[in-house]
Amino acid sequence: MPKTNPPADGRNNSGKSASKGSAAAKAAARNTDSGPARVNPDAGGDAQAEKMAQIQALAAAMPFNSIKPAEHGFANAMAPQRGATAEPASRLPTGSTLSEENGTEKTGSRAPEGVNSTIEPLDRVRVDSSGQVLTTNQGVAVSDNQNSLKFGLRGPALLEDFVLREKITHFDHERIPERIVHARGSGAHGFFECYAPLTQHTKAAPFQEAGKVTPVFVRFSTVAGERGSKDTARDVRGFAVKFYTDEGNWDLVGNNMPVFFIQDAMKFPDLIHAVKPEPHHQMPQAASAHDTFWDFVSLMPESTHMLMWVMSDRAIPRSYASMQGFGVHSYRFVNEAGESVFVKFHWNPVAGTHSLVWDEAVKISGADPDYHRRDLWERIESGACPEWEMGVQIFTEAQAEQFSFDILDATKLIPEELVPVLPVGRMVLNRNPDNFFAETEQVAFCTAHVVPGIDFSNDPLLAGRIHSYVDTQISRLGGPNFHEIPINSPIAQVHNNQRDGMHRQAIPRGRVAYEPNSLAGGCPFQAGAAQGFVTVPARLQAQEEQAKVRGKPEKFADHYTQATLFYESQTPVEQAHIAAAFRFELSKVTVPAIRERTVSMLRNASEDLAKKVAEGLGMTALPDAMPPALAQPAKPEVTVSPPLSLMARLGDGSIRARKIALLVAPGVVGASMAQVQVALLAEGAVARLVAPCIGAVATAEGDTLQADASLENEPGFLFDALVLPDGEAAVVALAKDGHTMEFIKDQYRHGKTILALGASKALLDKAGVPTTLPDGAPDAGLIVAPSGSAANVAAAFIKGIALHRHPERETDPPRV
């Protein structure tokens, strides 16, 4: 039953008549537009009068703002004090209304003391409609969801049909504006676990003790494409992690590349306008291979380093689970003593860093544009949960001053040879979202979201992001209260004086919405330096004497040294891929002068690369090298960095979640296929039987196998390796199907491991697959095994799959 208000008839709770003094207090307490000169402390048990008396006492307890003097001076600015507070005698003076005692099934009880009830696990907003009737959004049961209300069976539809109008109106407004960049994304829940305390460097909550677990939500994305574009485009990938720490949300919003195209946020709109589809015909979608992008970057030589990354295999990852992540910018760690160091963040996949080859990516985009999204979902659903190790590069301001490059320049990285990457924890993604829109689409990442112990550097690109991300979310998600959408709400309590705005979810208690105050006992009060976020006061002290200017430090002008470092750190195969990527992209450019300008820029990074690209574009002579912005750059500390090559990041050697195609047809030797499939499944791989059509396949032994994929619906380029069957009849049947030859050729051309059992050697011959490498050496990724040896060669096959691919068989143009 609902509770009732305290008596309002002049009697106290004991039933005795109130005194004259308390009667006056009772009368005064029933006015909201004026009050007595003095509040009678004798409330006579009347709740409203008692509230007025306690409000007077609470306000009187704070005769002035005691911390006001501490707002002035440099020393005070470095150590803000905790806000002044007073303890109320009860909950009466801080409440909005005395009627909060009157509970219903909707209102519930009064607000728990000191608690923001909107901050709870997502269980509070999950919906399961099992066994429930269909209702309107107002909870009214719907009797008929098949027909609109009409005047007679053949009459006109009626405007009064509120069920139809609600359903159609909601449908009309189901879409929200997509992100301007990173529109195409996929996400998952998980956790971060700290290896050891980092308290000597930072007081940030996730790093306070060994084994501490912090919930996370991670969103991966492409940058240039729209929400419905393909996953496998050549592009930068977003790698954004929301840490739900017990001191608030920390968003580490990064990419799968450690550097960026530009040095200052002022140029970000220009970059995105250039790389997006050209405005006159809205083409091409999710691609940088067009005039406006290359026109822009060829006039911005600081982009050369990033172009090396984007034209490398890093831009076409095999999966999100095999993709590195970087915080890009230099941030600061701050410890309890207020001491700070610089830090750069790294995410290293346990599965290794692997990529697609271009031909493979192009084909996959047509067969399965959701390739990366599907892979992430399937890995988590199957229990092969993606895992990354977080590493940090920690360095001091003094060290930063000695580097040949500027650590505030987002087009530069810090080679691991200069500052090693220290592993500090692991992140596991182990839960798929319940609803893509509510979680993955509505999640809002902002670089401005940091917690005590994490602070910003003076990176001018980061400074723009700090503003832009929040500003964008306000537009996308309908107002300033996007933080109250369940996926964005923290697990730490939220208490502030923000009120109102579109889509407000919280219902704050009380009359106070400002600070300082005395009517709520000073609450919520500022935390002070001991608990609250304090910006590091010292930022690049060597340059503090300079005035505010629009410009860049001199080291920012070295546009090519690290581009050279990246290119020279790649293996010959990777260098060939970079050259081929430049060749492809620039061949799509319709203005020759832009091509020539880009090649002139590349000459400053690598003469070898520039020559290869020029030859591929039919240039008869190399253009002059572009004049560098810095005539004599500092001598680099590192000229070759092996960790920049994908070949140095093969991972833990497991083949978990890798998809292996086992081709079968009527007459297949079923026992050998079963042996290979069992061995693969034992390693966590997804071994699928692929036949000319799905369904039962008769084996040579008289049994049946069930094919769950066909040569038509699951082409070869969707798989990480291939097993060809033994059995003459099966080989003959497969040889008659043109899809088989395409399947084999794609697997070979893309460097995948192939196991040919017994009679299937004939399929390799028909497909024109050579048994040796171009130099005549044996091909370790091509295993031809005699009949009956499947169990013996399974281990070698698995070892070959763990290498991801065999690039040594590549030629340009391809042999097969």
Side-chain angles (χ1 to χ4, degrees):
M1 292 293 291
K3 297 179 180 179
T4 59
N5 281 327
D9 58 357
R11 305 185 71 83
N12 60 23
N13 291 334
S14 66
K16 297 179 181 179
S17 298
S19 67
K20 291 183 179 180
S22 63
K26 173 181 170 183
R30 278 148 179 75
N31 296 303
T32 58
D33 60 350
S34 65
R38 296 180 59 189
V39 174
N40 190 332
D42 179 13
D46 180 75
Q48 288 176 288
E50 186 68 34
K51 180 175 181 176
M52 176 178 280
Q54 290 189 23
I55 288 174
Q56 163 63 15
L58 188 60
M62 297 178 63
F64 59 90
N65 185 351
S66 62
I67 69 166
K68 194 68 178 176
E71 294 179 10
H72 309 88
F74 185 75
N76 287 326
M78 291 182 63
Q81 295 185 14
R82 174 173 166 151
T85 62
E87 186 72 22
S90 73
R91 300 195 69 197
L92 280 176
T94 59
S96 309
T97 170
L98 290 172
S99 66
E100 68 181 358
E101 297 294 330
N102 299 338
T104 67
E105 290 183 0
K106 174 62 177 177
T107 62
S109 61
R110 66 184 183 182
E113 187 167 0
V115 171
N116 183 336
S117 296
T118 67
I119 307 303
E120 294 176 359
L122 292 180
D123 292 341
R124 66 189 173 88
V125 289
R126 289 197 174 97
V127 177
D128 184 354
S129 297
S130 302
Q132 303 300 312
V133 300
L134 187 70
T135 71
T136 68
N137 286 334
Q138 307 306 317
V140 178
V142 175
S143 62
D144 186 340
N145 191 46
Q146 318 308 318
N147 305 286
S148 56
L149 185 66
K150 298 183 291 290
F151 189 76
L153 291 177
R154 301 183 69 249
L158 300 178
L159 186 61
E160 70 180 72
D161 189 352
F162 65 91
V163 177
L164 171 69
R165 284 191 290 110
E166 179 191 87
K167 186 175 182 180
I168 294 296
T169 300
H170 192 279
F171 173 77
D172 290 343
H173 296 273
E174 281 181 356
R175 296 295 177 264
I176 64 175
E178 70 175 30
R179 292 167 170 86
I180 296 173
V181 289
H182 296 278
R184 172 73 181 180
S186 303
H189 294 274
F191 64 87
F192 172 77
E193 181 181 8
C194 182
Y195 287 161
L198 287 179
T199 49
Q200 74 274 31
H201 296 305
T202 180
K203 58 182 178 181
F207 307 113
Q208 291 308 289
E209 60 186 61
K212 182 168 184 177
V213 172
T214 302
V216 299
F217 185 83
V218 180
R219 186 177 185 270
F220 307 102
S221 56
T222 54
V223 173
E226 295 174 0
R227 192 159 58 190
S229 59
K230 60 190 178 185
D231 277 350
T232 57
R234 177 179 293 280
D235 199 357
V236 186
R237 296 303 190 283
F239 194 123
V241 183
K242 185 179 289 290
F243 292 83
Y244 299 96
T245 86
D246 45 23
E247 293 192 354
N249 287 356
W250 169 35
D251 292 352
L252 182 55
V253 192
N255 291 328
N256 72 323
M257 300 177 189
V259 292
F260 202 59
F261 293 97
I262 54 176
Q263 298 170 320
D264 194 299
M266 183 71 81
K267 301 307 298 174
F268 191 73
D270 299 301
L271 168 66
I272 300 308
H273 288 168
V275 76
K276 282 286 192 176
E278 298 192 12
H280 61 307
H281 56 35
Q282 200 61 19
M283 294 186 291
Q285 174 61 244
S288 56
H290 57 103
D291 290 9
T292 58
F293 173 74
W294 287 98
D295 182 41
F296 175 76
V297 295
S298 65
L299 293 170
M300 298 285 289
E302 60 265 44
S303 67
T304 308
H305 187 196
M306 183 62 172
L307 289 174
M308 292 292 183
W309 284 80
V310 175
M311 293 301 113
S312 78
D313 295 337
R314 300 280 189 150
I316 41 176
R318 162 61 180 83
S319 66
Y320 295 135
S322 57
M323 185 175 79
Q324 276 186 287
F326 303 91
V328 181
H329 306 285
S330 295
Y331 289 86
R332 285 183 181 268
F333 268 162
V334 186
N335 64 18
E336 287 286 358
E339 302 162 334
S340 76
V341 291
F342 285 117
V343 60
K344 277 183 171 283
F345 296 101
H346 297 244
W347 294 109
N348 291 310
V350 172
T353 307
H354 303 295
S355 67
L356 302 171
V357 293
W358 178 242
D359 182 69
E360 189 180 16
V362 170
K363 290 174 176 175
I364 289 173
S365 70
D368 187 2
D370 303 310
Y371 186 67
H372 288 152
R373 177 173 293 177
R374 190 182 317 283
D375 179 88
L376 179 66
W377 181 274
E378 290 178 350
R379 283 175 186 263
I380 295 173
E381 290 295 289
S382 67
C385 297
E387 181 174 339
W388 290 261
E389 186 171 67
M390 176 187 258
V392 293
Q393 288 178 296
I394 298 175
F395 53 101
T396 66
E397 189 169 306
Q399 287 177 286
E401 286 295 311
Q402 299 303 313
F403 293 153
S404 64
F405 50 89
D406 197 316
I407 60 100
L408 300 183
D409 182 353
T411 69
K412 308 294 196 303
L413 55 79
I414 301 178
E416 294 182 31
E417 291 80 2
L418 280 182
V419 181
V421 176
L422 171 69
V424 296
R426 70 184 187 116
M427 180 174 72
V428 179
L429 299 184
N430 60 1
R431 177 167 180 161
N432 280 316
D434 288 296
N435 183 273
F436 184 92
F437 178 84
E439 296 167 85
T440 305
E441 190 61 27
Q442 288 196 126
V443 69
F445 293 96
C446 301
T447 49
H449 295 168
V450 293
V451 294
I454 307 291
D455 202 357
F456 310 113
S457 70
N458 285 345
D459 183 331
L461 179 60
L462 175 59
R465 295 179 71 196
I466 291 169
H467 162 75
S468 179
Y469 281 55
V470 176
D471 192 41
T472 300
Q473 304 303 351
I474 291 173
S475 175
R476 276 196 73 239
L477 298 172
N481 292 314
F482 65 86
H483 60 280
E484 291 193 334
I485 295 172
I487 190 63
N488 295 320
S489 63
I491 59 173
Q493 286 287 298
V494 173
H495 296 284
N496 55 46
N497 294 312
Q498 296 174 19
R499 296 291 186 267
D500 309 336
M502 293 178 67
H503 311 305
R504 187 70 175 177
Q505 302 296 306
I507 303 176
R509 176 179 181 268
R511 66 197 286 192
V512 168
Y514 54 90
E515 189 278 329
N517 69 72
S518 66
L519 295 179
C523 301
F525 53 90
Q526 68 181 41
Q531 289 182 288
F533 179 86
V534 179
T535 297
V536 175
R539 295 174 183 248
L540 290 180
Q541 296 170 352
Q543 300 180 23
E544 281 183 353
E545 72 280 2
Q546 298 180 5
K548 293 182 179 180
V549 294
R550 290 187 184 273
K552 298 183 180 74
E554 288 186 359
K555 289 181 181 179
F556 275 46
D558 180 4
H559 300 149
Y560 303 111
T561 298
Q562 289 210 347
T564 303
L565 169 66
F566 182 80
Y567 185 74
E568 295 299 330
S569 301
Q570 306 304 298
T571 63
V573 169
E574 291 171 305
Q575 289 180 344
H577 289 178
I578 292 172
F582 273 108
R583 181 182 69 201
F584 173 86
E585 296 258 332
L586 291 171
S587 70
K588 294 282 190 177
V589 172
T590 64
V591 182
I594 296 176
R595 295 188 201 132
E596 293 170 4
R597 189 192 305 144
T598 303
V599 172
S600 76
M601 187 169 67
L602 292 178
R603 290 193 68 179
N604 291 320
S606 170
E607 194 72 11
D608 171 66
L609 175 61
K611 287 179 179 178
K612 290 178 179 177
V613 175
E615 289 172 3
L617 296 173
M619 292 183 183
T620 56
L622 281 173
D624 293 338
M626 184 177 290
L630 186 63
Q632 293 183 324
K635 183 179 179 180
E637 300 89 343
V638 178
T639 56
V640 175
S641 178
L644 295 179
S645 168
L646 290 178
M647 300 304 173
R649 300 183 175 278
L650 296 179
D652 61 357
S654 76
I655 63 169
R656 288 195 316 152
R658 296 288 181 90
K659 290 187 176 181
I660 319 299
L662 284 66
L663 265 57
V664 295
V668 61
V669 177
S672 61
M673 279 301 187
Q675 289 172 333
V676 174
Q677 189 174 36
V678 168
L680 291 170
L681 291 173
E683 296 293 326
V686 181
R688 303 189 67 182
L689 297 178
V690 184
C693 61
I694 60 174
V697 177
T699 68
E701 299 94 334
D703 298 321
T704 58
L705 299 174
Q706 291 293 330
D708 65 348
S710 73
L711 293 168
E712 180 181 40
N713 73 10
E714 294 286 329
F717 47 78
L718 294 178
F719 292 90
D720 295 295
L722 170 64
V723 180
L724 297 173
D726 196 5
E728 292 289 345
V731 169
V732 170
L734 289 170
K736 292 178 180 178
D737 191 327
H739 291 111
T740 304
M741 296 303 110
E742 294 172 6
F743 208 112
I744 296 171
K745 289 178 180 179
D746 282 333
Q747 283 279 307
Y748 179 82
R749 185 182 295 175
H750 300 158
K752 305 299 179 61
T753 304
I754 300 174
L755 171 60
L757 298 172
S760 63
K761 172 63 167 59
L763 294 175
L764 295 178
D765 295 338
K766 185 172 181 179
V769 171
T771 56
T772 60
L773 297 174
D775 63 1
D779 187 339
L782 187 61
I783 304 171
V784 180
S787 298
S789 63
N792 298 328
V793 298
F797 181 54
I798 291 169
K799 184 177 179 181
I801 300 170
L803 295 175
H804 183 64
R805 69 174 78 250
H806 302 271
E808 58 273 9
R809 71 171 65 136
E810 289 186 16
T811 57
D812 188 9
R815 291 194 295 170
V816 174

